Amino acid sequence: MEIFTDGNLIIWDKSELERAEKEVSAEEVISLRVGAKCYSEVGLSNLYKRIAKYKNITKVSVADDRILDPDMPSVKAKFEKLFPNASFEWSYDLLAGGKHGR
């Protein structure tokens, strides 16, 4: 599966995060999409540290399938702090066991 095209990095899970760390130049990433499996597998705190290197981000999209509704404002705030020049949006993956899946 292609994870990086035209400045857009899509990280579905831990293996794709690891692949991006090895194969994608951080300076070229302008848009980041984080899937629920990724932060479920590595943890949000670890994820924040690992993606902080993407300094040119102008758009962030995060699947909220496995983020509790009361935690959404703090998670959004952390992404906005990491990427102050980026727009932020919630998305979803429709994962089984997630709040949008069956």
Side-chain angles (χ1 to χ4, degrees), residues 9-44:
L9 179 59
I10 300 171
I11 304 172
W12 174 257
D13 59 16
K14 180 182 178 182
S15 67
E16 290 184 354
L17 174 62
E18 292 169 346
R19 193 169 138 210
E21 290 171 329
K22 293 176 186 172
E23 299 176 10
V24 178
S25 168
E27 295 78 29
E28 294 181 33
V29 179
I30 57 172
S31 174
L32 176 64
R33 174 31 166 103
V34 179
K37 285 184 73 175
C38 182
Y39 61 75
S40 294
E41 293 172 348
V42 301
L44 281 168

Side-chain angles (χ1 to χ4, degrees), residues 61-73:
S61 177
V62 179
D64 70 352
D65 299 58
R66 295 185 176 158
I67 297 174
L68 298 175
D69 288 344
D71 295 335
M72 289 178 68

